[in-house]
Amino acid sequence: MTGTIPDMLSPEFAADPYSAYAVFREQAPLFYHEAMQSYVVSRYTDVERVFKDSAFTTANYDWQLEPVHGKTIVQLSGREHSVRRALVAPAFRGSELQEKFLPIIERNSADLIDGFRSTGSADLVAQFATRFPVGVIVDMLGLDKADQPKFQKWYTSIIAFLGNLSGDEQVTASGLQTKAEFAEYMLPVVQARRSALGDDLLSTLVTAEIDGETMSDEDVKSFCSLLLAAGGETTDKAVASMFALLLQHPEQLAAVREDRGLISAAFAETLRLRPPVHMIMREPAEEVEIAGGVIPAGKTVTALIGSANRDPERYKDPDSFNIFRDDLNTTSAFSAAADHLAFALGRHFCVGALLAKTEIEVATNQLLDALPDLKLADGFVPVEKGVFTRGPASLQVEFTPA
Ligand code: HEM
């Protein structure tokens, strides 16, 4: 790595990755980060290719996630991946989502809003965003809501393990301990559910069958661990970032308040400008030429979603928040035909994208209905936190108490 390129492990990068991304795109579209032991790509076309080209495998998850989750679908490829994905995907779309899970989403959002609507002020991160998606998954799976703080602690430690770019030993140790604690908690629950099926996602998972393939207790436990982390951390950041952006752009907030059909455009534009997941790794199975250089087989490559989504070659005025922009397709934004990269693309495209969209629509409608004159607290400026996943550290708001 040349001395002039910002260091992704520096505090300056953590404070403002966006200006570093611009330097990467312009001066070093492919570079090797020695300490991360990873090649890094940052331009839209290169990040898109890393997701779509099957030369780039997800073998990186063998060391990046398997030690904390066990084996899950993100690591698999080919037929093994498609069968496993087909076992779980129906629960996250269509009638399962609309009929079975929508009421859960509505109740979780309403309960949280009831906790602060009469007070006149709140931190939408601490009191809403961090609790809402994990509460939804806990209820979808039919787990004990009293244990939600445990799940929250576990998924935070898993995400820290996933994003442990500097190889911090304490983060590694805590991730490994989480795997043991989660297995101890979850395996008896999975076994008990097999003999007392209910109308919940865990019951769907233990009975799912495609082409004679089913999921073992260990598979189900590992998938639940993945769901808690993949669905908790990301939607949490998404809802907080979207409200931060709308509150900082009152005219666009007013437009969304007036026409709720604009929520999906506001969410898509948030995913482009402030993606909850800023980077995803891959491992090429063979030597690949990309971004004017070569990545040898078996090396790690980091694809910078946060940079690609702001590539001026792809989006006009890429650093501005504009829910009306005409160069982002907001109808395909939650499917594998998306033209932003926040859910990745290709065969590992986020299986929970429609669930996330439904959660954001419900939360936004309920928050806007319950808090008619919602605004940022006087003098409060949202500050983002995180390098691998990123979102506002807090979001202090004020409103007329209901
Ligand atoms: C705004 C919210 C979300 C964002 C930004 C997001 C982002 C992503 C990304 C970038 C990937 C690709 C990983 C890769 O290719 O290596 C992914 C995959 C995945 N996501 Fe999401 N996600 C979100 C919500 C959810 C939710 C709500 C769930 C479920 C509860 C979920 C479950 C998954 C799963 C299981 C995969 C793996 C799919 C596969 O390997 O085939 N995600 N997500």
Side-chain angles (χ1 to χ4, degrees), residues 228-248:
L228 282 163
E233 174 86 1
T234 52
T235 314
D236 149 8
K237 304 280 186 276
V239 76
S241 289
M242 191 174 100
F243 269 87
L245 284 163
L246 287 173
L247 289 162
Q248 288 176 301

Side-chain angles (χ1 to χ4, degrees), residues 51 58 60-61 73-76 81 85 88 92 133 137 140 223 226-228 230-232 234-236 238 267 271 275-277 280-282 305 341-345 347-353 355-357 359-360:
F51 292 146
T58 56
N60 54 296
Y61 289 125
I73 57 169
V74 273
Q75 284 160 270
L76 304 178
H81 173 260
R85 191 169 159 122
V88 298
F92 295 97
I137 298 167
M140 281 173 71
F223 187 64
L226 174 66
L227 282 187
L228 282 163
T234 52
T235 314
D236 149 8
F267 182 30
L271 288 172
V277 181
I280 285 288
M281 274 74 162
R282 290 288 189 261
I305 293 172
L341 303 173
F343 290 125
L345 286 174
R347 53 173 65 240
H348 292 279
F349 180 83
C350 177
V351 89
L355 170 62
K357 177 175 181 261
E359 289 181 292
I360 297 283

Side-chain angles (χ1 to χ4, degrees), residues 110-133:
D111 285 351
L112 288 171
I113 295 170
D114 283 347
F116 59 75
R117 63 189 301 174
S118 60
T119 62
S121 66
D123 175 356
L124 283 188
V125 170
Q127 291 172 264
F128 190 83
T130 52
R131 299 195 203 171
F132 170 53

Side-chain angles (χ1 to χ4, degrees), residues 255-308:
V256 172
R257 195 182 270 290
E258 183 68 21
D259 175 3
R260 302 300 173 86
L262 288 171
I263 296 173
S264 58
F267 182 30
E269 173 65 345
T270 301
L271 288 172
R272 184 196 66 79
L273 189 69
R274 304 268 174 89
V277 181
H278 266 237
M279 59 192 75
I280 285 288
M281 274 74 162
R282 290 288 189 261
E283 246 178 61
E286 63 213 47
E287 182 179 284
V288 274
E289 268 182 50
I290 187 166
V294 172
I295 303 177
K299 292 288 182 188
T300 304
V301 52
T302 301
L304 292 177
I305 293 172
S307 170

Side-chain angles (χ1 to χ4, degrees), residues 185-257:
Y185 176 96
M186 200 65 200
L187 284 170
V189 176
V190 174
Q191 283 147 12
R193 197 63 53 94
R194 285 197 191 278
S195 45
L197 293 173
D199 191 24
D200 53 60
L201 179 57
L202 191 52
S203 301
T204 307
L205 296 176
V206 297
T207 50
E209 185 180 333
I210 299 248
D211 292 349
E213 285 212 29
T214 54
M215 291 169 86
S216 67
D217 292 352
E218 178 68 24
D219 292 337
V220 173
K221 181 258 335 168
S222 301
F223 187 64
C224 290
S225 176
L226 174 66
L227 282 187
L228 282 163
E233 174 86 1
T234 52
T235 314
D236 149 8
K237 304 280 186 276
V239 76
S241 289
M242 191 174 100
F243 269 87
L245 284 163
L246 287 173
L247 289 162
Q248 288 176 301
H249 296 83
E251 69 304 339
Q252 297 190 53
L253 176 60
V256 172
R257 195 182 270 290

